[in-house]
Amino acid sequence: MTKFRPCIDLHSGQVKQIVGGTLTTTSTDLKINYVSKLPAGHFAQLYMDNDLEGAHVIMLGPGNEEAAKEALAVWKGGLQIGGGINDKNAKQWIDWGADKVIITSFLFPSGKFSQEHLDLVLAALGGDKERLVIDLSCRRKGDTWFVAMDKWQTITDMEVNEASIHSLEEYCSEFLIHAADNEGLQKGVDEKLVEKLAEWCSIPVTYAGGGRNLQDLDHVKTLSGTRVDLTIGSALDIFGGSGVTFDECVAWNRSQPRR
């Protein structure tokens, strides 16, 4: 059953909402929608108080570990953590309180998928795929999508399609997929991608990118036949947005049939 899943995006130690495609190595390229004056722990508490399980904390670049650990300490076992996760630190993040770790870039050394790296991360987690989320955040190439890494700036060799989804499902408990070309723009979701994810995925999948309002939750629910969850970021009032209130999203979740 489709549900709203919130996020905590961290950049330079602060909770921010960023236009995804502008996260380059050049600071002048960066387009920021919102910088919160509140710490990461505030949002973790808010999500915990409203039973919003499956929220993800994403560390966008360096300088975010302390803020991430603060959030995890507030809601131990309730949040997922991503950004810079590899075989050396995956278990450490679980020990610090993450429910699951999210990996992307480590799976794609030099932009090429590595089964060996996936095996290493899973081994570091004791072979427990329930602790692992694979992030297949992507960018469009015509009518196809390819996984994008390094803050969505490097296009990898992996197309997001039925074959790649099926090949990875046995190694993880769910997928997280940002449509990087839509991220932070509040111009609507990538409808075709949402439809395809519902068709291809047999495990839980969360889509992020372009969510604007409460109607988009209904839209994703319809497009996916209730199989895809939606993250709304920049449009939320708690992140300075005017498209939808956090309380409305919580109420929407509570109005849905239980899975």
Side-chain angles (χ1 to χ4, degrees), residues 3 41 115 139 160 182 184 200 242:
K3 65 180 179 180
Q115 181 66 46
R139 303 194 83 149
V160 179
N182 297 58
W200 296 333
S242 58

Side-chain angles (χ1 to χ4, degrees), residues 51-100:
D51 300 319
L52 293 171
E53 295 181 349
H56 51 270
V57 181
I58 303 295
M59 298 179 287
L60 298 168
N64 296 306
E65 281 201 2
E66 291 309 311
K69 285 194 281 186
E70 175 193 319
L72 297 181
V74 169
W75 193 5
K76 283 188 176 295
L79 300 168
Q80 303 172 2
I81 183 76
I85 306 298
N86 56 45
D87 61 321
K88 300 295 191 291
N89 62 20
K91 179 60 165 58
Q92 181 66 75
W93 282 107
I94 296 295
D95 292 342
W96 280 333
D99 177 37
K100 303 182 183 190

Side-chain angles (χ1 to χ4, degrees), residues 26-246:
T26 306
S27 60
T28 53
D29 291 340
L30 189 65
K31 290 186 174 63
I32 298 173
N33 286 335
Y34 181 73
V35 181
S36 177
K37 295 178 181 177
L38 298 168
H42 165 83
F43 295 96
Q45 185 70 53
L46 185 64
Y47 299 164
M48 181 173 69
D49 290 346
N50 287 282
D51 300 319
L52 293 171
E53 295 181 349
H56 51 270
V57 181
I58 303 295
M59 298 179 287
L60 298 168
N64 296 306
E65 281 201 2
E66 291 309 311
K69 285 194 281 186
E70 175 193 319
L72 297 181
V74 169
W75 193 5
K76 283 188 176 295
L79 300 168
Q80 303 172 2
I81 183 76
I85 306 298
N86 56 45
D87 61 321
K88 300 295 191 291
N89 62 20
K91 179 60 165 58
Q92 181 66 75
W93 282 107
I94 296 295
D95 292 342
W96 280 333
D99 177 37
K100 303 182 183 190
V101 293
I102 305 166
I103 54 168
T104 307
S105 295
F106 183 67
L107 295 184
F108 296 92
S110 302
K112 299 185 184 303
F113 174 71
S114 169
Q115 181 66 46
E116 179 185 2
H117 278 205
L118 177 54
D119 292 339
L120 284 170
V121 172
L122 201 53
L125 296 171
D128 186 0
K129 75 172 192 174
E130 293 303 314
R131 292 292 194 178
L132 186 61
V133 178
I134 293 180
D135 184 334
L136 295 180
S137 294
C138 56
R139 303 194 83 149
R140 259 187 183 268
K141 291 178 74 173
D143 291 329
T144 62
W145 301 269
F146 279 79
V147 176
M149 54 178 265
D150 291 336
K151 300 190 286 292
W152 306 317
Q153 295 306 306
T154 301
I155 307 299
T156 72
D157 67 344
M158 179 176 280
E159 182 179 347
V160 179
N161 57 27
E162 186 171 17
S164 60
I165 291 286
H166 285 186
S167 70
L168 294 172
E169 282 187 331
E170 63 182 289
Y171 299 98
C172 63
S173 59
E174 57 184 275
F175 293 112
L176 171 63
I177 299 180
H178 292 83
D181 298 310
N182 297 58
E183 182 74 13
L185 295 177
Q186 300 179 59
K187 291 185 177 179
V189 302
D190 185 330
E191 296 178 341
K192 183 58 68 174
L193 180 56
V194 170
E195 289 176 342
K196 288 299 185 183
L197 292 175
E199 178 184 330
W200 296 333
C201 297
S202 64
I203 61 176
V205 55
T206 299
Y207 168 93
R212 301 162 296 184
N213 48 43
L214 209 59
Q215 289 70 40
D216 278 332
L217 275 166
D218 288 318
H219 193 38
V220 167
K221 178 182 176 180
T222 301
L223 285 171
S224 71
T226 76
R227 299 190 63 181
V228 175
D229 292 342
L230 176 66
T231 292
I232 300 175
S234 293
L236 276 178
D237 63 335
I238 60 171
F239 296 129
S242 58
V244 62
T245 69
F246 175 79

